[in-house]
Amino acid sequence: MFKAIVDADTLRTTLDSVSVLVDECKIHLNEDGIEIRAVDPANVGMVDLELDASAFESYEADGGLIGVNLSRLEDIAGMADKGQLVQLELDEETRKLHIQIDGLEYTLALIDPDSIRQEPELPDLDLPARIVIEGADISRAVKAADMVSDHIALGVDATEEHFYVDAQGDTDDVHLELTRDDLIDLEAGDAHSLFSLDYLKDMEKALPKDAEVAMDLGQEYPVKLHFDIAEGQGRVTFMLAPRIQSD
Amino acid sequence: MFKAIVDADTLRTTLDSVSVLVDECKIHLNEDGIEIRAVDPANVGMVDLELDASAFESYEADGGLIGVNLSRLEDIAGMADKGQLVQLELDEETRKLHIQIDGLEYTLALIDPDSIRQEPELPDLDLPARIVIEGADISRAVKAADMVSDHIALGVDATEEHFYVDAQGDTDDVHLELTRDDLIDLEAGDAHSLFSLDYLKDMEKALPKDAEVAMDLGQEYPVKLHFDIAEGQGRVTFMLAPRIQSD
Amino acid sequence: MFKAIVDADTLRTTLDSVSVLVDECKIHLNEDGIEIRAVDPANVGMVDLELDASAFESYEADGGLIGVNLSRLEDIAGMADKGQLVQLELDEETRKLHIQIDGLEYTLALIDPDSIRQEPELPDLDLPARIVIEGADISRAVKAADMVSDHIALGVDATEEHFYVDAQGDTDDVHLELTRDDLIDLEAGDAHSLFSLDYLKDMEKALPKDAEVAMDLGQEYPVKLHFDIAEGQGRVTFMLAPRIQSD
């Protein structure tokens, strides 16, 4: 059983966070909210998303699991105007999801969850550095790095107490430094890892406007990005595996 | 003889209503206004448009007939700013249309009307149902149907007194119901017909913002869409032939 | 030695004026400001640009010459928000330009000036007619001419005291006349020359909004367009060679 009503913007933000990595996903319809975990086909980027029941206008579920085509669901959510409510109801018999938006009914065929790539376990890493940064600063760093390279180095200098971004192109370089004052928070520990810019660009697209992003970093370790959605009633964690440094 | 001055927006709305169906058309330059009738090459969609002399700032004509390339005329009308006046004058000798917009003169070569597809007669159908609906609701229905199918069913349920839209895709379906309260008016009579979505999408593009559209419907019969342009001093009727129901 | 701070908008306007003609250019870093002269590969369009030291927030230079990739420099300038300052500093050792925008450092590899096409001398022509015209009117004329032809004739009728634009297509023609009243200024002298529309379109793109453009014209002679940038602390001259009239 699953029946819920949710604000269209909340639904869109939720779907966007996952669709930057995968086309299809499993959604756990838990009693206390939904959960989505997914990993991209290359096993480089992962997402773990929770949206609490309290993020919905109304929510009833008893622990089911469905498989959905994300871009199709995004198209439907895109039919709603800002602030409109989207009603979701699972038909257990037909394995279809009935979606209603102000008189408009959409019947979405679900995907067999077993046919969808297995869900990842996001490893519990003990990373030495954590910064809290405005999403806009991530956007700026990613855009600048993209002018010169396909890779981006993210690091923290524990001595100088700053977070930095480095991108080295064939002829040109980009460097960005943000001190404790430029950041929302900084727990300094030496960290430096190289990442694929394509993945980070995709993850950046999923950041809500005005997002505060907590970033955990290590030495040639994955980076984790944590941010809230749905006014704190939902949480997203992205994890991105590092590239081997090529010096 | 033909000499007229018209607001650029009125001219653009007029041309758009016809250009969604055909590239070239004949324009009747009657004493009391212009009239355009056209049918698309596949004989599926028709338009009948009248723009009264009173819709023009000034208007003089004595019953001529010209053939025009619509996209070219639209480009020229597009040169005018919002609210600017467009002056049109026919040179009978050279068969060219002189168009002036604030110092800019464009000389448009006309097309021999005999070389343009014959004008249709829109049949006088006695259709059992009529609804009056906001153009925005048509846009919404067309956009939703387009997510799942190439066809769209439009119908009226006389007993339940509602207008409905149905689109059936390979896996997903869309259904929209508008009751008497959701509509501007409803004259109920049972009606249900299937249409090509491409045509309806084109016609929808021609609807002025905030248009009220009267829609006549029957059982596997054409649909007629009537709406005003130029603040009621012009009238457009679209007619769209039904597709044979494939069950 | 070169070290300067400049408003991002001023930098962007400067670069745009040159990049419409060439991909790479030499920049003279004079004591009293920068100067750029460039000619397109076909030798048809030329630009001469001066930006005074006073157009910069701060400016120090001692007469060097650098070669730059314009689109790369435009991308970097595009990273700055409206009103943000861009800091430029030349590293003589490495022949790289260090560019800073609010914590973001970009290291741009310069191009050997000797590998860039030689700078043109804009000839000192004694042209019989000069008009001063709003940039918006040039945009309008170019857009209208583009509907019918690849060429555009610009002329002044000394007797009638008007500036005119003519474009002749295979079937349609465009004509625009601006009298003394429509222009900011008119020094009448008979002039008529035909130009490639592609070049004039490119030059038009570089005109700042609300630009006043002084245009010098002759009989089958080049046209010169002069306009200010950076609130009068910079000057741009475009020169465009005529096409041979084909009658």
Side-chain angles (χ1 to χ4, degrees), chain B residues 15-113:
Chain B
L15 299 172
D16 288 351
S17 298
V18 183
S19 68
V20 292
L21 284 178
V22 293
D23 297 329
E24 303 176 343
C25 73
K26 303 182 201 187
I27 304 181
H28 293 269
L29 307 168
N30 300 328
E31 281 181 38
D32 57 354
I34 66 167
E35 184 173 8
I36 303 174
R37 288 199 311 280
V39 58
D40 86 289
N43 238 35
V44 171
M46 296 181 191
V47 60
D48 186 347
L49 176 148
E50 289 172 346
L51 188 64
D52 300 340
S54 58
F56 293 77
E57 297 297 310
S58 79
Y59 185 90
E60 288 175 80
D62 56 6
L65 176 68
I66 58 174
V68 299
N69 178 318
L70 279 166
S71 66
R72 192 153 288 207
L73 201 47
E74 281 182 311
D75 284 349
I76 304 165
M79 288 294 302
D81 292 331
K82 200 172 162 52
Q84 249 182 343
L85 293 180
V86 180
Q87 189 176 325
L88 306 162
E89 184 165 5
L90 175 63
D91 184 328
E92 308 265 10
E93 293 293 309
T94 59
R95 297 304 294 171
K96 299 211 172 189
L97 190 65
H98 292 281
I99 304 162
Q100 283 203 35
I101 304 169
D102 188 24
L104 177 73
E105 288 170 51
Y106 192 106
T107 309
L108 175 74
L110 295 172
I111 301 172
D112 179 359

Side-chain angles (χ1 to χ4, degrees), chain A residues 139-141 143-144 147-148 170-178, chain C residues 72 75-76 78-79 84 96 101-109:
Chain A
S139 305
R140 191 160 167 257
K143 196 177 161 194
M147 289 196 285
V148 300
D170 290 335
T171 58
D172 298 354
D173 303 330
V174 159
H175 185 75
L176 175 67
E177 267 178 34
L178 296 176
Chain C
R72 193 152 288 206
D75 283 348
I76 304 166
M79 287 294 302
Q84 248 180 345
K96 300 210 171 190
I101 305 169
D102 188 22
L104 177 73
E105 288 170 50
Y106 192 107
T107 309
L108 175 73

Side-chain angles (χ1 to χ4, degrees), chain B residues 72 75-76 78-79 84 96 101-109, chain C residues 139-141 143-144 147-148 170-178:
Chain B
R72 192 153 288 207
D75 284 349
I76 304 165
M79 288 294 302
Q84 249 182 343
K96 299 211 172 189
I101 304 169
D102 188 24
L104 177 73
E105 288 170 51
Y106 192 106
T107 309
L108 175 74
Chain C
S139 305
R140 192 161 165 254
K143 196 177 161 193
M147 288 196 285
V148 299
D170 290 334
T171 57
D172 299 354
D173 303 329
V174 159
H175 185 75
L176 175 67
E177 266 178 35
L178 296 175

Side-chain angles (χ1 to χ4, degrees), chain B residues 91-154:
Chain B
D91 184 328
E92 308 265 10
E93 293 293 309
T94 59
R95 297 304 294 171
K96 299 211 172 189
L97 190 65
H98 292 281
I99 304 162
Q100 283 203 35
I101 304 169
D102 188 24
L104 177 73
E105 288 170 51
Y106 192 106
T107 309
L108 175 74
L110 295 172
I111 301 172
D112 179 359
D114 292 339
S115 73
I116 297 178
R117 194 174 320 116
Q118 214 180 327
E119 291 164 292
E121 276 304 325
L122 267 68
D124 206 359
L125 305 169
D126 189 21
L127 295 167
R130 161 169 285 212
I131 60 157
V132 183
I133 184 173
E134 285 178 33
D137 281 328
I138 297 182
S139 305
R140 191 161 166 256
V142 161
K143 196 177 162 196
D146 198 32
M147 288 195 285
V148 299
S149 180
D150 296 332
H151 301 102
I152 185 169
L154 305 178

